[in-house]
Amino acid sequence: RANSVDPDEYRDANDTVDPYLRAHVHSLVAALGGPSPVKGGGYVLGDEAQYVLRDLKKWLRAYDEKLNRLDVARCLAESKLVGNDLVEILASWPEDKVEDRRWYRLALSCLELLVPLTWPLERREEMTVNHHRHITYLEYAQTGYKRAILHHRSRKVLKNCVKIALPSLAVPLKERESRDDNIIRLVLYFLRNIAAIRHPDPTEDDTGEDIGRDATIKAFEKDNVLHLMLAISSGMGEDFNVQDVPVSEILFHLLKGVNMKELFMTETQLANKEKENLASLLALEKGMDIARNRDGPTRHNRFGTQIMLTRENGKTATISGQDVLASKEKGLQKIDSSKKWRKPKGGKRQSHEDVYVPVHLSTSAKKIMREFVENFIDAGFNPLFHHIRKDIARDEDRFATSHVRVFFYLVAWFLEAERMRREAALRDNPKEVADSFSIIASVMNQETLIIIQKHMKKWWELKMWSELESVMKCFTQILLTVQDMAASPFEEDQEIAENIQSRIFYEESTLDLVHTILRGYTTQTFDYLNIITELTHVHTKMLERYSKQNTHMFVRAKKSKSSKKKKDATDKNDDSEPEIQQENSTALKEKAFDFKRFEAKLLNNSSVDSFVTFLSYYKELDYSQIKRALSFFHRVFVKRKMEIALYRLDIVELFYRIMQDSEGLPPTHPAYKELDQFTKYLIKCLVRKLQTTPCLYVELLFSKIPKTAYYLMHGRDQEIETRA
Amino acid sequence: KKDSMAGVDDEVKIAKRKLRAKLDADRLLGPNGLEKIRKDAPKKLKFKGKGHEYKDCAKLLAFYQLWAHDLFPKAKFRDTLSMIEKLGHNRRIQVARTYYIDEDKRAKAK
């Protein structure tokens, strides 16, 4: 009866996978091959290696994919298949046997295993217990895979993987069969996976630097991956077709978070910048020292000073600490800071994505990237983005939302890089005439604007914030590029710029959308807030200038009557100006105060709130960001004379804190002076107003009611006039 | 109640949680609320005007901070401000605010 022992009895309840499965997989892995016992013998393939690889692939497909578990992947990670076997096999593909059928099939089989094993592990909603059990382990395992691939001692694993695609790439598009397409796709997805893998949780001991962006870029350069990318993207549409999605994803994973400004700096500039960074950090520290010396204790911490604050109504409050002796203000601050209760905060939405986490590259990696970016803009930008844009516009099913988002992100990134490059060229060589903008023409057209506006609207309505972020970023960069184009010496560029502006500022609904998004800011992330404020800033400025230059500006509004529709129709059919001027004067009149109406819609309580929230991050903002907020407030306060919108205690308190508090900005900050001027002006006007309009003392606490705002603004007399 | 056996007939007391102090329209319209600002602020706040912006601002903020402390002692100044701002959308508060402004108009007319 000894034979009838139930094997399940011996199974460990805590075991992560079925032991039978593990045994199967391990025996397969063992049969694949192993290191030679002879010294210097290298890796020896098992007799049936090709079949073993096929079986492993079947396991992955039939068990993991079909049943939606990750058990086989886990077993393969435990058996170190990638590091001990697959990488070794790929590395030992001899140079002289590139044409060899057997080796080619072997390498391809390895790749077919590597792609699912390195596939990004997404935390989705329909995850099973198994997923939760394995994902963390597998994430660490994947970093190991990446390390093994990038740093194999032969240094040619990636190169050999690229080699697999070469025969298929050589086949002309028309003769290419689906098998060839699959092989190319396999290689590209493999590269995408490698680029996307990052350390899940870097620590001091395990920084993940060896698989970081820097290492990836260097390896990609050395193993011809970057060349492959250039070749495919520049031949997009002619020699290639469906490869646009993986290529753009590889680019995205290589470029996200890279600061293009630094790429286009010379070495001396970089060195200077680093010096400046250090200097500003030191200045900041010094400022902290000064603040501590000013506010800090002058005696030991048990000196035990106690102060009684007596109020006019006889109430008293006791505060301890000698620093309170200095001023009444300090005392009030202390009372406040000793309060324990905090207003419950609504959960802030934090993105877990690393899209905007800045990446630091070494000088050599920067050089590689710069060269690549320049080559890409010159050769690959137009074909690739033209192709993707065309298909997105056609609503092709192969574009998931994430792909569209990657497209917008990349377009924005490269447009900004191109502007930086122009700036750098101008800086190095001011006399040289800049190139024409035709190298980025594929996105500077009506079609791109249409998909941008469409997606902005769609994602806004669906509340897809991170996607909305990418498309707004793209729109902002297009606007900035148009601005540069208008200043170009080439007539053609100027014409295009003019044309685009007239298109952008033609639809009233899209003009309004920018406001709506700004006003709709609630609890999204800081990056989102940063982008909406930037977009609003750039958009409003350009529109203001444009409407000044073009006194005959038409906007297509929603509520157009039938007569107006006809006008629009003529406007649409021929763009010639004289025709329009012959129109009757009512149309002209409407355009004349068009910008003011637009601006009035922009400047309201909610958008003020958005900018106030933005400014409250003042410690992390740089000069241009503070400038952006200030110019908005300046527009509200001085240009539009809507002072009443800023007469709010929380706003006054924020400005006062920035300028005067020990928590505020150091006087060495570049934006300090401008902030100082504005704050003083704001307070001055407010004090004057308070003395003439005592009811403002109460209203100061609230956002104003539109009905009464006019009275508060202008005093009583005008109010009566408007009523009469 | 005295002769009940072993407290069987005693009413069972359920300890109620203390009501948490809340900053709401009632409190804001109460004696320590907006009325107090209306009464005190024009009298107590004496501004120096041009050239003394930050001092004036400090005075203004100190006045409101003490007022906020009396109104709702447990919250920090900045939290109180944002709570009050939210209350501004409340019907009753809006009515009161409009009333104050109308009062102001009438006072000016005299």
Side-chain angles (χ1 to χ4, degrees), chain A residues 549-651:
Chain A
Q549 281 166 359
N550 300 280
T551 36
H552 313 296
M553 193 178 142
F554 278 89
V555 179
R556 187 161 68 180
K558 237 185 205 168
K559 286 183 282 180
S560 55
K561 289 168 200 157
S562 57
S563 62
K564 242 177 123 195
K565 259 183 198 157
K566 269 180 216 157
K567 236 174 276 154
D568 283 338
T570 55
D571 184 29
K572 239 182 167 176
N573 288 340
D574 39 11
D575 288 345
S576 51
E577 290 276 287
E579 279 276 338
I580 296 160
Q581 278 173 351
Q582 283 167 16
E583 292 287 344
N584 55 26
S585 59
T586 51
L588 285 168
K589 212 172 168 187
E590 198 180 289
K591 288 167 281 153
F593 51 79
D594 190 49
F595 181 73
K596 282 204 168 164
R597 250 184 38 205
F598 172 82
E599 205 185 25
K601 268 191 269 177
L602 169 67
L603 309 175
N604 62 21
N605 284 329
S606 337
S607 48
V608 167
D609 281 343
S610 302
F611 268 94
V612 168
T613 317
F614 182 62
L615 190 62
S616 69
Y617 289 97
Y618 62 93
K619 278 186 199 167
E620 284 118 68
L621 301 185
D622 62 21
Y623 175 70
S624 69
Q625 287 168 319
I626 291 191
K627 198 73 206 298
R628 185 193 305 160
L630 257 187
S631 89
F632 175 84
F633 291 127
H634 187 267
R635 190 183 287 280
V636 175
F637 200 76
V638 184
K639 271 198 195 158
R640 288 290 298 184
K641 298 266 171 231
M642 281 175 51
E643 292 103 333
I644 201 72
L646 295 192
Y647 289 158
R648 253 168 53 192
L649 215 52
D650 51 342
I651 299 176

Side-chain angles (χ1 to χ4, degrees), chain A residues 37 41 71 203 207 216 250 271 352 412 426 468 488 504 686:
Chain A
D71 292 356
T203 58
T207 53
T216 314
I250 297 171
H352 297 289
L426 203 70
L468 185 60
S488 154
I504 292 175
L686 171 63

Side-chain angles (χ1 to χ4, degrees), chain A residues 457-470:
Chain A
K457 196 152 179 261
K458 186 168 119 195
W459 285 337
W460 161 249
E461 279 163 7
L462 294 174
K463 299 189 174 21
M464 295 160 75
W465 307 126
S466 52
E467 284 80 7
L468 185 60
E469 214 173 287
S470 72

Side-chain angles (χ1 to χ4, degrees), chain A residues 311-312 332 336 339 341 343 649 656-657 659-660 676 680 683 692 695 697 699 702-703 711 716, chain B residues 44 53-54 58 64-65 69-70 73-79 82-85 88 97 104 108-109:
Chain A
R311 305 255 306 273
E312 284 163 38
L332 287 177
D336 212 40
K339 290 182 181 177
W341 188 80
K343 190 161 95 67
L649 215 52
Y656 183 77
R657 178 155 40 101
M659 298 315 299
Q660 292 285 300
D676 183 56
K680 275 189 179 155
I683 299 172
T692 55
C695 58
Y697 281 114
E699 287 297 303
F702 306 102
S703 301
Y711 169 77
R716 178 160 36 108
Chain B
K44 282 191 182 165
E53 284 85 3
Y54 288 125
Y64 278 97
Q65 193 184 334
H69 180 71
D70 290 342
K74 83 170 178 185
K76 296 185 185 219
F77 183 42
R78 247 185 272 164
D79 291 341
S82 76
M83 285 186 285
I84 293 176
E85 203 276 326
R97 284 166 62 188
D104 213 44
K108 249 187 195 174

Side-chain angles (χ1 to χ4, degrees), chain A residues 386-447:
Chain A
H386 174 75
H387 195 259
I388 299 181
R389 193 264 300 147
K390 226 173 50 196
D391 284 0
I392 290 178
R394 233 187 278 146
D395 254 343
E396 295 251 338
D397 287 338
R398 65 197 177 90
F399 287 98
T401 309
S402 66
H403 300 143
V404 182
R405 184 182 161 209
V406 163
F407 167 73
F408 285 129
Y409 182 85
L410 284 178
V411 170
W413 198 94
F414 279 111
L415 283 180
E416 196 172 356
E418 169 63 11
R419 286 196 302 117
M420 292 299 152
R421 175 160 82 146
R422 277 168 195 280
E423 227 171 70
L426 203 70
R427 189 177 53 207
D428 298 341
N429 206 346
K431 279 177 196 160
E432 203 174 291
V433 183
D435 292 334
S436 156
F437 280 82
S438 59
I439 48 171
I440 48 157
S442 66
V443 295
M444 305 303 285
N445 51 31
Q446 173 68 357
E447 289 82 0

Side-chain angles (χ1 to χ4, degrees), chain A residues 5 29 205 240 271 275 345 429 454 471 504 544 701 723:
Chain A
V5 171
V29 173
D205 301 325
F240 304 102
K275 253 188 243 162
K345 270 181 193 154
N429 206 346
K454 192 181 120 196
V471 67
I504 292 175
E544 186 174 23
L701 292 164
R723 267 190 188 166

Side-chain angles (χ1 to χ4, degrees), chain A residues 486-504:
Chain A
S488 154
F490 293 95
E491 221 167 89
E492 197 187 330
D493 285 342
Q494 289 170 16
E495 255 171 48
I496 294 173
E498 174 67 23
N499 192 5
I500 291 181
Q501 290 193 53
S502 71
R503 301 275 189 187
I504 292 175

